[in-house]
Structures are given as structure tokens and as C-alpha cells.
Amino acid sequence: MKVIEGNFLTDKSDQYAIVVSRFNEIITGKLLEGAIASLRKHGVDEKKITVFWVPGAVEIPLVAKKVAKSKKYSAIITLGAVIKGQTQHFDYVCSLVSSGVSAVNLEFEIPVVFGVLTTENMEQAFDRSGGKMGNKGHECAVTAIELVSLLKNI
Ligand code: INI
């Protein structure tokens, strides 16, 4: 039997892109800090990380697609926060960003990791951006590293 999986060792040549939305920046800023800290902890040089700010979660897929198309990056981490209590069109925004990111993920042969929080309220968002439920940005960075490694082994 052959088992193929990724590891958490990073390659010096790998470049990581982070596409992060400014909407709810109090949350997305923490997701970004978590993602960067995690990449750095796993040995990714700061020079190998590029951050792309977009206005809101809806804009993430287009920018992620353009970034993927550039072929400069080994993985893209998408970060955002859609909070139900604050928007009448919560479902619409969630659906646009999730299906958009998923489409980019399958079109290009690099991991496009989904780190957009979709929560009922601000408290749940804080819990998941460095609070009692951890930091989704950190989780996404670790996922990106593992997938970059796994894809190289296939
Ligand atoms: N964008 C978010 O990232 N989070 C939200 O909670 C949100 N709300 O509440 O509407 C939101 N809206 C803006 C949207 O992402 C676009 O930027 C806007 O519709 C312009 O295309």
C-alpha cells in the first residue's frame, strides 16, 4: 500500500499570497496576523508572503483568480468575515464568496484555502479570530503549507 500525504516543512522557493478583505477589519486583521504568524513559524520568510487587500468578501474570488493566474504563488489564503447580524444579504454574500473561491481552487493547480468566517454575530467572529475557538487564519496557513507539500508529492 502507498500512502501519500503532505508535511509541514516549507520550501524556500514557495511564495504565499494572502487575499484579505477590509470589511470587518477588526476581525480580518486578526485573521491576517494569525496567518502570517503561522507561516513565519513554519519557516516562510516574510519576503515570500504577499498580502492583497480587497474591499469586501465578495471581491475575494476575482483577486484570488488574478493572483492564481499570475503563477507566482504556491498557495493562496483567503481571509474575510461575513457577519449575519450586520447584513441583510448575508446568505448572498456567503454564497458568492464560497462558490467563487471554490471555483478558483479547482481551476488552478494551487491550493486556494478558504478562511472566510461566516458567523451569526461579532462574538463568534472574535472567538474564531484569536479567541476561545482559535484563529482561522492560523488554521488556513497550516492547511496551505500541508497542501503545497502534498501537491508536490502527487
Ligand atoms: N463584506 C464582508 O466582507 N463582510 C460582510 O459582513 C459584508 N456585509 O455585511 O455586507 C460585506 N459586504 C460587502 C461586500 O463584500 C462587497 O464588498 C460589496 O457588496 C461590494 O461588492
PDB file of all heavy atoms in Angstrom, residues 21-24 28 55-60 80-84 86-90 93 116, ligand 1:
ATOM      1  N   SER A  21     -10.045  40.677   3.134  1.00  0.00           N
ATOM      2  CA  SER A  21     -10.994  41.779   2.932  1.00  0.00           C
ATOM      3  C   SER A  21     -10.968  42.771   4.090  1.00  0.00           C
ATOM      4  O   SER A  21     -10.737  42.416   5.248  1.00  0.00           O
ATOM      5  CB  SER A  21     -12.407  41.247   2.698  1.00  0.00           C
ATOM      6  OG  SER A  21     -12.814  40.463   3.767  1.00  0.00           O
ATOM      7  N   ARG A  22     -11.180  44.033   3.713  1.00  0.00           N
ATOM      8  CA  ARG A  22     -11.117  45.131   4.688  1.00  0.00           C
ATOM      9  C   ARG A  22     -12.413  45.254   5.494  1.00  0.00           C
ATOM     10  O   ARG A  22     -12.401  45.785   6.600  1.00  0.00           O
ATOM     11  CB  ARG A  22     -10.817  46.430   3.928  1.00  0.00           C
ATOM     12  CG  ARG A  22     -10.186  47.492   4.799  1.00  0.00           C
ATOM     13  CD  ARG A  22      -9.726  48.676   3.984  1.00  0.00           C
ATOM     14  NE  ARG A  22      -8.515  48.405   3.253  1.00  0.00           N
ATOM     15  CZ  ARG A  22      -8.407  48.380   1.935  1.00  0.00           C
ATOM     16  NH1 ARG A  22      -9.448  48.604   1.166  1.00  0.00           N
ATOM     17  NH2 ARG A  22      -7.260  48.125   1.350  1.00  0.00           N
ATOM     18  N   PHE A  23     -13.508  44.763   4.934  1.00  0.00           N
ATOM     19  CA  PHE A  23     -14.798  44.807   5.637  1.00  0.00           C
ATOM     20  C   PHE A  23     -14.650  44.006   6.940  1.00  0.00           C
ATOM     21  O   PHE A  23     -14.137  42.898   6.939  1.00  0.00           O
ATOM     22  CB  PHE A  23     -15.877  44.151   4.753  1.00  0.00           C
ATOM     23  CG  PHE A  23     -17.266  44.640   5.010  1.00  0.00           C
ATOM     24  CD1 PHE A  23     -17.869  45.570   4.167  1.00  0.00           C
ATOM     25  CD2 PHE A  23     -17.985  44.171   6.099  1.00  0.00           C
ATOM     26  CE1 PHE A  23     -19.165  46.015   4.402  1.00  0.00           C
ATOM     27  CE2 PHE A  23     -19.271  44.608   6.339  1.00  0.00           C
ATOM     28  CZ  PHE A  23     -19.861  45.541   5.500  1.00  0.00           C
ATOM     29  N   ASN A  24     -15.079  44.583   8.041  1.00  0.00           N
ATOM     30  CA  ASN A  24     -14.883  43.962   9.367  1.00  0.00           C
ATOM     31  C   ASN A  24     -13.398  43.768   9.672  1.00  0.00           C
ATOM     32  O   ASN A  24     -12.961  42.711  10.136  1.00  0.00           O
ATOM     33  CB  ASN A  24     -15.622  42.612   9.484  1.00  0.00           C
ATOM     34  CG  ASN A  24     -17.119  42.772   9.486  1.00  0.00           C
ATOM     35  OD1 ASN A  24     -17.654  43.676  10.122  1.00  0.00           O
ATOM     36  ND2 ASN A  24     -17.825  41.900   8.795  1.00  0.00           N
ATOM     37  N   THR A  28     -10.757  40.718  10.425  1.00  0.00           N
ATOM     38  CA  THR A  28      -9.882  40.199   9.363  1.00  0.00           C
ATOM     39  C   THR A  28      -8.406  40.529   9.637  1.00  0.00           C
ATOM     40  O   THR A  28      -7.522  39.775   9.256  1.00  0.00           O
ATOM     41  CB  THR A  28     -10.299  40.713   7.965  1.00  0.00           C
ATOM     42  OG1 THR A  28     -10.179  42.143   7.936  1.00  0.00           O
ATOM     43  CG2 THR A  28     -11.729  40.316   7.643  1.00  0.00           C
ATOM     44  N   PRO A  55     -11.854  45.245  -0.845  1.00  0.00           N
ATOM     45  CA  PRO A  55     -12.852  45.930  -0.008  1.00  0.00           C
ATOM     46  C   PRO A  55     -13.706  44.999   0.855  1.00  0.00           C
ATOM     47  O   PRO A  55     -13.885  45.227   2.042  1.00  0.00           O
ATOM     48  CB  PRO A  55     -13.719  46.667  -1.039  1.00  0.00           C
ATOM     49  CG  PRO A  55     -12.902  46.748  -2.272  1.00  0.00           C
ATOM     50  CD  PRO A  55     -11.997  45.561  -2.279  1.00  0.00           C
ATOM     51  N   GLY A  56     -14.271  43.966   0.218  1.00  0.00           N
ATOM     52  CA  GLY A  56     -15.151  43.071   0.977  1.00  0.00           C
ATOM     53  C   GLY A  56     -15.006  41.643   0.504  1.00  0.00           C
ATOM     54  O   GLY A  56     -14.312  41.368  -0.490  1.00  0.00           O
ATOM     55  N   ALA A  57     -15.693  40.737   1.191  1.00  0.00           N
ATOM     56  CA  ALA A  57     -15.570  39.304   0.876  1.00  0.00           C
ATOM     57  C   ALA A  57     -15.959  39.004  -0.569  1.00  0.00           C
ATOM     58  O   ALA A  57     -15.364  38.126  -1.202  1.00  0.00           O
ATOM     59  CB  ALA A  57     -16.441  38.498   1.837  1.00  0.00           C
ATOM     60  N   VAL A  58     -16.926  39.735  -1.088  1.00  0.00           N
ATOM     61  CA  VAL A  58     -17.392  39.487  -2.462  1.00  0.00           C
ATOM     62  C   VAL A  58     -16.262  39.678  -3.486  1.00  0.00           C
ATOM     63  O   VAL A  58     -16.247  39.032  -4.531  1.00  0.00           O
ATOM     64  CB  VAL A  58     -18.607  40.408  -2.784  1.00  0.00           C
ATOM     65  CG1 VAL A  58     -18.965  40.373  -4.257  1.00  0.00           C
ATOM     66  CG2 VAL A  58     -19.815  40.003  -1.942  1.00  0.00           C
ATOM     67  N   GLU A  59     -15.313  40.548  -3.155  1.00  0.00           N
ATOM     68  CA  GLU A  59     -14.221  40.836  -4.105  1.00  0.00           C
ATOM     69  C   GLU A  59     -13.084  39.801  -4.022  1.00  0.00           C
ATOM     70  O   GLU A  59     -12.159  39.823  -4.854  1.00  0.00           O
ATOM     71  CB  GLU A  59     -13.650  42.238  -3.845  1.00  0.00           C
ATOM     72  CG  GLU A  59     -14.532  43.378  -4.320  1.00  0.00           C
ATOM     73  CD  GLU A  59     -15.798  43.571  -3.503  1.00  0.00           C
ATOM     74  OE1 GLU A  59     -15.718  43.536  -2.261  1.00  0.00           O
ATOM     75  OE2 GLU A  59     -16.872  43.742  -4.096  1.00  0.00           O
ATOM     76  N   ILE A  60     -13.134  38.930  -3.046  1.00  0.00           N
ATOM     77  CA  ILE A  60     -12.023  37.980  -2.858  1.00  0.00           C
ATOM     78  C   ILE A  60     -11.817  37.060  -4.076  1.00  0.00           C
ATOM     79  O   ILE A  60     -10.682  36.919  -4.547  1.00  0.00           O
ATOM     80  CB  ILE A  60     -12.213  37.153  -1.552  1.00  0.00           C
ATOM     81  CG1 ILE A  60     -12.000  38.056  -0.331  1.00  0.00           C
ATOM     82  CG2 ILE A  60     -11.251  35.967  -1.509  1.00  0.00           C
ATOM     83  CD1 ILE A  60     -12.293  37.383   1.009  1.00  0.00           C
ATOM     84  N   GLY A  80     -11.633  36.577   5.329  1.00  0.00           N
ATOM     85  CA  GLY A  80     -12.712  37.555   5.372  1.00  0.00           C
ATOM     86  C   GLY A  80     -13.628  37.283   6.554  1.00  0.00           C
ATOM     87  O   GLY A  80     -13.448  36.299   7.287  1.00  0.00           O
ATOM     88  N   ALA A  81     -14.593  38.151   6.741  1.00  0.00           N
ATOM     89  CA  ALA A  81     -15.551  37.972   7.848  1.00  0.00           C
ATOM     90  C   ALA A  81     -16.911  38.482   7.406  1.00  0.00           C
ATOM     91  O   ALA A  81     -17.072  39.679   7.147  1.00  0.00           O
ATOM     92  CB  ALA A  81     -15.072  38.718   9.089  1.00  0.00           C
ATOM     93  N   VAL A  82     -17.863  37.569   7.288  1.00  0.00           N
ATOM     94  CA  VAL A  82     -19.238  37.945   6.955  1.00  0.00           C
ATOM     95  C   VAL A  82     -20.073  37.655   8.203  1.00  0.00           C
ATOM     96  O   VAL A  82     -20.099  36.521   8.683  1.00  0.00           O
ATOM     97  CB  VAL A  82     -19.769  37.167   5.733  1.00  0.00           C
ATOM     98  CG1 VAL A  82     -21.078  37.782   5.255  1.00  0.00           C
ATOM     99  CG2 VAL A  82     -18.755  37.143   4.607  1.00  0.00           C
ATOM    100  N   ILE A  83     -20.688  38.713   8.704  1.00  0.00           N
ATOM    101  CA  ILE A  83     -21.366  38.593   9.996  1.00  0.00           C
ATOM    102  C   ILE A  83     -22.865  38.835   9.825  1.00  0.00           C
ATOM    103  O   ILE A  83     -23.287  39.896   9.352  1.00  0.00           O
ATOM    104  CB  ILE A  83     -20.716  39.553  11.012  1.00  0.00           C
ATOM    105  CG1 ILE A  83     -19.250  39.124  11.200  1.00  0.00           C
ATOM    106  CG2 ILE A  83     -21.461  39.532  12.352  1.00  0.00           C
ATOM    107  CD1 ILE A  83     -18.369  40.111  11.865  1.00  0.00           C
ATOM    108  N   LYS A  84     -23.638  37.824  10.187  1.00  0.00           N
ATOM    109  CA  LYS A  84     -25.070  37.823   9.892  1.00  0.00           C
ATOM    110  C   LYS A  84     -25.819  39.000  10.503  1.00  0.00           C
ATOM    111  O   LYS A  84     -26.640  39.629   9.837  1.00  0.00           O
ATOM    112  CB  LYS A  84     -25.688  36.504  10.381  1.00  0.00           C
ATOM    113  CG  LYS A  84     -27.074  36.273   9.847  1.00  0.00           C
ATOM    114  CD  LYS A  84     -27.545  34.866  10.148  1.00  0.00           C
ATOM    115  CE  LYS A  84     -28.784  34.553   9.339  1.00  0.00           C
ATOM    116  NZ  LYS A  84     -29.157  33.147   9.427  1.00  0.00           N
ATOM    117  N   GLN A  86     -25.133  41.841  10.901  1.00  0.00           N
ATOM    118  CA  GLN A  86     -24.892  43.154  10.304  1.00  0.00           C
ATOM    119  C   GLN A  86     -25.340  43.283   8.865  1.00  0.00           C
ATOM    120  O   GLN A  86     -25.223  44.336   8.266  1.00  0.00           O
ATOM    121  CB  GLN A  86     -23.389  43.446  10.342  1.00  0.00           C
ATOM    122  CG  GLN A  86     -22.871  43.614  11.738  1.00  0.00           C
ATOM    123  CD  GLN A  86     -21.414  43.996  11.702  1.00  0.00           C
ATOM    124  OE1 GLN A  86     -20.766  43.924  10.672  1.00  0.00           O
ATOM    125  NE2 GLN A  86     -20.902  44.411  12.830  1.00  0.00           N
ATOM    126  N   THR A  87     -25.780  42.202   8.260  1.00  0.00           N
ATOM    127  CA  THR A  87     -26.129  42.321   6.844  1.00  0.00           C
ATOM    128  C   THR A  87     -27.436  41.630   6.499  1.00  0.00           C
ATOM    129  O   THR A  87     -27.702  40.523   6.932  1.00  0.00           O
ATOM    130  CB  THR A  87     -24.985  41.785   5.938  1.00  0.00           C
ATOM    131  OG1 THR A  87     -25.464  41.791   4.599  1.00  0.00           O
ATOM    132  CG2 THR A  87     -24.538  40.404   6.301  1.00  0.00           C
ATOM    133  N   GLN A  88     -28.215  42.310   5.699  1.00  0.00           N
ATOM    134  CA  GLN A  88     -29.485  41.759   5.222  1.00  0.00           C
ATOM    135  C   GLN A  88     -29.221  40.693   4.159  1.00  0.00           C
ATOM    136  O   GLN A  88     -30.016  39.789   3.962  1.00  0.00           O
ATOM    137  CB  GLN A  88     -30.347  42.878   4.597  1.00  0.00           C
ATOM    138  CG  GLN A  88     -30.739  43.980   5.557  1.00  0.00           C
ATOM    139  CD  GLN A  88     -31.529  43.463   6.759  1.00  0.00           C
ATOM    140  OE1 GLN A  88     -32.463  42.701   6.598  1.00  0.00           O
ATOM    141  NE2 GLN A  88     -31.134  43.872   7.942  1.00  0.00           N
ATOM    142  N   HIS A  89     -28.075  40.825   3.478  1.00  0.00           N
ATOM    143  CA  HIS A  89     -27.823  39.880   2.390  1.00  0.00           C
ATOM    144  C   HIS A  89     -26.690  38.907   2.729  1.00  0.00           C
ATOM    145  O   HIS A  89     -25.875  38.538   1.904  1.00  0.00           O
ATOM    146  CB  HIS A  89     -27.565  40.631   1.079  1.00  0.00           C
ATOM    147  CG  HIS A  89     -26.491  41.683   1.161  1.00  0.00           C
ATOM    148  ND1 HIS A  89     -26.566  42.798   1.950  1.00  0.00           N
ATOM    149  CD2 HIS A  89     -25.314  41.774   0.517  1.00  0.00           C
ATOM    150  CE1 HIS A  89     -25.474  43.529   1.788  1.00  0.00           C
ATOM    151  NE2 HIS A  89     -24.703  42.922   0.926  1.00  0.00           N
ATOM    152  N   PHE A  90     -26.683  38.474   3.983  1.00  0.00           N
ATOM    153  CA  PHE A  90     -25.687  37.526   4.489  1.00  0.00           C
ATOM    154  C   PHE A  90     -25.541  36.298   3.584  1.00  0.00           C
ATOM    155  O   PHE A  90     -24.450  35.946   3.156  1.00  0.00           O
ATOM    156  CB  PHE A  90     -26.110  37.090   5.901  1.00  0.00           C
ATOM    157  CG  PHE A  90     -25.255  36.037   6.532  1.00  0.00           C
ATOM    158  CD1 PHE A  90     -24.058  36.359   7.158  1.00  0.00           C
ATOM    159  CD2 PHE A  90     -25.655  34.702   6.533  1.00  0.00           C
ATOM    160  CE1 PHE A  90     -23.282  35.380   7.756  1.00  0.00           C
ATOM    161  CE2 PHE A  90     -24.889  33.727   7.130  1.00  0.00           C
ATOM    162  CZ  PHE A  90     -23.707  34.070   7.744  1.00  0.00           C
ATOM    163  N   VAL A  93     -23.954  37.099   0.181  1.00  0.00           N
ATOM    164  CA  VAL A  93     -22.506  37.352   0.266  1.00  0.00           C
ATOM    165  C   VAL A  93     -21.757  36.038   0.507  1.00  0.00           C
ATOM    166  O   VAL A  93     -20.761  35.735  -0.167  1.00  0.00           O
ATOM    167  CB  VAL A  93     -22.179  38.388   1.380  1.00  0.00           C
ATOM    168  CG1 VAL A  93     -20.666  38.517   1.582  1.00  0.00           C
ATOM    169  CG2 VAL A  93     -22.762  39.757   1.036  1.00  0.00           C
ATOM    170  N   VAL A 116     -12.742  32.426   5.194  1.00  0.00           N
ATOM    171  CA  VAL A 116     -13.742  33.481   5.382  1.00  0.00           C
ATOM    172  C   VAL A 116     -14.708  33.038   6.483  1.00  0.00           C
ATOM    173  O   VAL A 116     -15.403  32.029   6.331  1.00  0.00           O
ATOM    174  CB  VAL A 116     -14.509  33.755   4.064  1.00  0.00           C
ATOM    175  CG1 VAL A 116     -15.564  34.832   4.281  1.00  0.00           C
ATOM    176  CG2 VAL A 116     -13.535  34.179   2.960  1.00  0.00           C
TER     177      VAL A 116
HETATM  178  N1  INI B   1     -18.472  42.143   3.084  1.00  0.00           N
HETATM  179  C1  INI B   1     -17.854  41.406   4.016  1.00  0.00           C
HETATM  180  O1  INI B   1     -16.689  41.033   3.820  1.00  0.00           O
HETATM  181  N2  INI B   1     -18.496  41.090   5.162  1.00  0.00           N
HETATM  182  C2  INI B   1     -19.771  41.485   5.418  1.00  0.00           C
HETATM  183  O2  INI B   1     -20.306  41.157   6.504  1.00  0.00           O
HETATM  184  C3  INI B   1     -20.439  42.271   4.447  1.00  0.00           C
HETATM  185  N3  INI B   1     -21.764  42.762   4.689  1.00  0.00           N
HETATM  186  O3  INI B   1     -22.148  42.847   5.857  1.00  0.00           O
HETATM  187  O4  INI B   1     -22.449  43.151   3.755  1.00  0.00           O
HETATM  188  C4  INI B   1     -19.753  42.594   3.257  1.00  0.00           C
HETATM  189  N4  INI B   1     -20.329  43.333   2.300  1.00  0.00           N
HETATM  190  C5  INI B   1     -19.605  43.974   1.234  1.00  0.00           C
HETATM  191  C6  INI B   1     -19.363  43.041   0.051  1.00  0.00           C
HETATM  192  O5  INI B   1     -18.407  42.053   0.358  1.00  0.00           O
HETATM  193  C7  INI B   1     -18.850  43.821  -1.146  1.00  0.00           C
HETATM  194  O6  INI B   1     -17.649  44.480  -0.810  1.00  0.00           O
HETATM  195  C8  INI B   1     -19.843  44.859  -1.638  1.00  0.00           C
HETATM  196  O7  INI B   1     -21.099  44.253  -1.860  1.00  0.00           O
HETATM  197  C9  INI B   1     -19.358  45.463  -2.978  1.00  0.00           C
HETATM  198  O8  INI B   1     -19.247  44.467  -3.975  1.00  0.00           O
END
